[in-house]
Amino acid sequence: MATTLITGRPWRVILTFSVPLLIGNVVQQLYQFVDTIVVGRQLGVNSLAAVGATGSLIFLVIGFAWGLGSGFAIPTAQAFGAGDARGVRRSVATGTLLTAATSLILTLCGPIIAGPFLELMQTPPELLAEATVFTQVTFLGGSTIMFFNYLAAIIRSIGDSTTPLVFLTISCVLNVGLVILMVGPLGWGVAGAAWATVVAQAVSVVLCLLFMWRRLPVLHVHRPDWKVSGSDIAQHLRLGLPMGFQASIIAIGALIVQVALNRLGADAVAAYTAASRVDSLAVAFLASLGLAASMYAAQNLGARRPDRIRRGTIQAIWIAIAASVVLGALLIAFGEPVVRLFVGEGSDDVVDMAHLMLIINGLSYSTLGVLFVLRGVLQGIGRVLVPTITGVIELVMRVVAALALGGVWEFTGVALSNPLAWLGAILLLIPAYIAAHRQFAKMTVDPVEPTLTTPITTITTPIPVVGPSEGSHTVDAVFTAPVPIARPRLTKVRMPRVGRRRKD
């Protein structure tokens, strides 16, 4: 369903629009939250640390593939906006073939590289066996993760953001049930936690296909559409590869932080894993607010309302700061008992380290909230260079802080790497937005008024593409096509009545 953000009080429409995004983010984080609790309580701290030790490697590979698949949906959105039904079908066919090829490579190569890469990352010996099994199973089932992401992206690309959220929720609820079953009664260990995700994602793929077959005839691919050309492949790779590399840049930073943690031992890895799960729930709101601000800026730029962009950005910043203070206070006050949900008795050192990390992050949330809003607004108005550079700055700051401070202050030094990375990024984002803010102040307000022949969805074409997250970065984008998004005309097909005799 198309949503307009060009009317109403800015703070209200931004907050309202962020709610479904928040639900999607929280649902994703909650199943990981429960996942971690089950592994930590049922299998112990070492198993929890083993699963945590795989996160950065899995994010490096799956994140790249996820970004790639999300980019493949952009040409579909362009063709749909132009009313080119054949172009939509060809784009779906091209994206499906490229996703299948990427999935095949991931399935064949991922399990082979898992063990050597984990050893290269200096994974503690007591964690290596379980970490390798968890990574191998995840890569074996990586095709289900890739295809769900791709199918959800093309459904969003034609204006339906609700259905993917519904299927994601079903998948996450199923995942929770399967984790409890496979790790508990079935006794499959960490492999059961990985298989639970694979099976749940496979179910979501089937749901997407059934929905597309029954409700979205515009996405039905015909036999001639499978004959894709080299230019079709080049176009999809041109848009998909940058999003994949964006995820890789994020993951490299996480990978190096993981190496610094591995040097500190299993307890440090377990503490960081538990703290990250709790932290991700709080960050979900701020990330959703940033994507909502991006969509808001994109639509109001298309509607030629620079005044609303200025007001909305300031109001979104105040919302982010207020939310950051509340979330930070909750984490500091209740972080310790929540962390204890992940581990059993006798793990006080793990709990203390995790709570320390939550205190450090909680005190820095205001910086992170402003970062998300400013980065989102700049992306929404098409100024993507500075947000991209800030990603590199975060990478450098996080790596230097984790290695340098981790060597001096051990776990505390590694925990400080996130706030320092956020601070480095925001120091560039603030002047970049101030320059844009001043330019908007000089622009003439010339609003586009929708008419009977100009439906509201033709004013602008922002499309949210949502992916996995790490720290303050998400593999998200707001894509604005130079063509209107309009509903295609569907030809009404008259079906013969049952039992009716057909004339020759």
Side-chain angles (χ1 to χ4, degrees):
M1 181 180 294
T3 303
T4 177
L5 306 177
I6 64 171
T7 59
R9 295 183 179 180
W11 68 268
R12 182 175 294 173
V13 296
I14 290 173
L15 201 56
T16 302
F17 187 80
S18 67
V19 169
L21 299 174
L22 172 63
I23 294 172
N25 270 327
V26 169
V27 166
Q28 282 185 305
Q29 302 305 334
L30 275 177
Y31 96 80
Q32 293 180 349
F33 189 87
V34 175
D35 218 31
T36 309
I37 290 177
V38 172
V39 171
R41 302 290 295 191
Q42 293 281 342
L43 303 178
V45 172
N46 275 4
S47 295
L48 173 64
V51 173
T54 68
S56 53
L57 176 59
I58 291 173
F59 186 78
L60 176 64
V61 178
I62 298 293
F64 175 81
W66 189 294
L68 199 67
S70 296
F72 293 160
I74 293 175
T76 309
Q78 290 177 321
F80 183 75
D84 181 4
R86 184 172 180 272
V88 170
R89 297 196 304 270
R90 287 181 64 85
S91 176
V92 172
T94 305
T96 300
L97 292 174
L98 289 172
T99 301
T102 310
S103 299
L104 181 62
I105 295 171
L106 174 62
T107 303
L108 294 177
C109 300
I112 297 174
I113 67 170
F117 263 81
L118 288 168
E119 290 181 8
L120 189 64
M121 291 167 57
Q122 301 179 33
T123 304
E126 64 270 29
L127 309 181
L128 189 58
E130 286 186 310
T132 302
V133 169
F134 186 86
T135 309
Q136 287 176 334
V137 173
T138 300
F139 286 157
L140 279 172
S143 59
T144 62
I145 299 171
M146 277 206 65
F147 268 102
F148 173 64
N149 165 64
Y150 173 65
L151 294 174
I154 61 174
I155 292 172
R156 287 192 200 100
S157 74
I158 62 170
D160 182 357
S161 60
T162 303
T163 301
L165 173 60
V166 172
F167 292 158
L168 174 64
T169 303
I170 293 172
S171 173
C172 290
V173 171
L174 178 61
N175 198 342
V176 169
L178 290 174
V179 164
I180 295 171
L181 174 66
M182 293 180 175
V183 174
L186 294 182
W188 290 4
V190 295
W195 279 119
T197 301
V198 171
V199 173
Q201 293 281 5
V203 171
S204 64
V205 169
V206 173
L207 291 174
C208 283
L209 290 172
L210 289 173
F211 177 78
M212 289 166 58
W213 178 254
R214 299 186 63 177
R215 299 291 182 88
L216 301 176
V218 69
L219 298 179
H220 292 181
V221 180
H222 303 159
R223 182 176 294 179
D225 300 321
W226 291 107
K227 297 178 181 178
V228 300
S229 65
S231 60
D232 291 329
I233 294 174
Q235 179 195 21
H236 285 68
L237 289 176
R238 181 174 57 83
L239 294 167
L241 286 173
M243 293 190 68
F245 287 132
Q246 178 189 344
S248 297
I249 290 174
I250 302 166
I252 289 170
L255 202 66
I256 296 174
V257 170
Q258 187 66 55
V259 172
L261 282 168
N262 289 341
R263 293 174 179 174
L264 300 177
D267 282 356
V269 177
Y272 195 91
T273 302
S276 296
R277 293 294 183 263
V278 180
D279 175 71
S280 63
L281 286 173
V283 172
F285 176 78
L286 302 178
S288 302
L289 187 63
L291 187 54
S294 190
M295 293 287 289
Y296 172 87
Q299 284 201 9
N300 281 279
L301 181 69
R304 297 198 285 273
R305 291 299 305 269
D307 57 321
R308 284 182 58 82
I309 296 176
R310 295 173 77 233
R311 292 203 312 274
T313 302
I314 298 301
Q315 292 174 16
I317 287 174
W318 282 115
I319 293 173
I321 292 174
S324 298
V325 171
V326 173
L327 292 170
L330 289 173
L331 241 66
I332 293 169
F334 302 106
E336 183 175 346
V338 174
V339 169
R340 288 193 181 278
L341 294 174
F342 295 100
V343 296
E345 298 298 326
S347 302
D348 290 341
D349 289 343
V350 173
V351 174
D352 290 342
M353 284 190 289
H355 190 214
L356 173 63
M357 178 175 161
L358 292 177
I359 292 173
I360 292 172
N361 283 1
L363 292 173
S364 309
Y365 277 163
S366 294
T367 302
L368 180 61
V370 175
L371 185 157
F372 272 126
V373 171
L374 294 183
R375 176 182 285 159
V377 170
L378 289 172
Q379 288 175 330
I381 63 177
R383 302 190 181 190
V384 296
L385 178 60
V386 170
T388 302
I389 294 174
T390 60
V392 178
I393 291 174
E394 282 198 67
L395 167 64
V396 174
M397 292 285 289
R398 186 171 282 115
V399 168
V400 171
L403 295 180
L405 298 182
V408 178
W409 294 328
E410 296 187 335
F411 185 83
T412 303
V414 176
L416 284 169
S417 64
N418 281 328
L420 290 174
W422 303 338
L423 181 61
I426 203 172
L427 289 177
L428 182 60
L429 287 169
I430 289 175
Y433 175 72
I434 289 174
H437 191 83
R438 289 173 176 171
Q439 288 183 1
F440 284 141
K442 298 175 183 177
M443 291 173 61
T444 303
V445 176
D446 182 20
V448 175
E449 295 294 339
T451 67
L452 290 176
T453 58
T454 306
I456 196 74
T457 48
T458 66
I459 289 175
T460 187
T461 61
I463 302 161
V465 178
V466 185
S469 62
E470 179 70 32
S472 74
H473 259 300
T474 51
V475 189
D476 295 346
V478 172
F479 167 70
T480 50
V483 292
I485 290 185
R487 293 188 180 277
R489 294 179 181 177
L490 301 178
T491 305
K492 203 170 188 180
V493 180
R494 183 172 295 174
M495 300 297 293
R497 294 179 182 175
V498 177
R500 186 177 179 180
R501 193 172 183 177
R502 198 175 79 182
K503 295 181 180 180
D504 294 330

